[in-house]
């Protein structure tokens, strides 16, 4: 799992996750994403944590949803996946 906050003044952070094939389907990514997002909101004082999920990757979408992210209705204009928001 990784978290990027563009600057200490930024109110937004971006999260990403990847799980080795042998460990998928065990809730590892969901737990890690939820813990990291909770921590970022509490400790980094960000207003939101964003995740980008490819629509054709149902596993990532399921992780985002299960971790408490909601799909954003707006696009940032890039083809890098749907935006999901936590916080």
């Amino acid at each position: 799992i990784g978290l990027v906050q563009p600057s200490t003044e930024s109110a937004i952070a971006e999260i990403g996750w990847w799980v080795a094939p042998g460990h998928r389907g065990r809730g590892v990514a969901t737990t890690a994403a939820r813990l990291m997002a909770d921590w970022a909101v509490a400790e980094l004082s960000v207003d939101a944590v964003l995740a980008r999920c490819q629509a054709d990757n149902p596993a990532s979408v399921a992780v985002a949803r299960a971790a408490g992210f909601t799909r954003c209705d707006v696009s940032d204009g890039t083809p890098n996946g749907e935006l999901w928001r936590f916080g």
Side-chain angles (χ1 to χ4, degrees):
I1 192 147
L3 184 77
V4 176
Q5 185 181 11
S7 72
T8 55
E9 292 83 31
S10 178
I12 304 277
E14 190 165 333
I15 194 171
W17 53 82
W18 180 85
V19 178
H23 299 281
R24 292 178 184 159
R26 299 180 185 178
V28 173
T30 298
T31 299
R34 184 181 309 120
L35 288 171
M36 181 70 85
D38 280 337
W39 175 82
V41 170
E43 299 297 325
L44 299 179
S45 300
V46 297
D47 295 330
V49 178
L50 298 179
R52 294 179 188 272
C53 298
Q54 297 298 326
D56 62 352
N57 185 341
S60 281
V61 170
V63 167
R65 187 173 284 121
F69 288 74
T70 55
R71 189 172 175 278
C72 297
D73 290 333
V74 295
S75 170
D76 65 354
T78 66
N80 297 329
E82 299 173 338
L83 288 175
W84 290 73
R85 178 186 172 111
F86 183 94

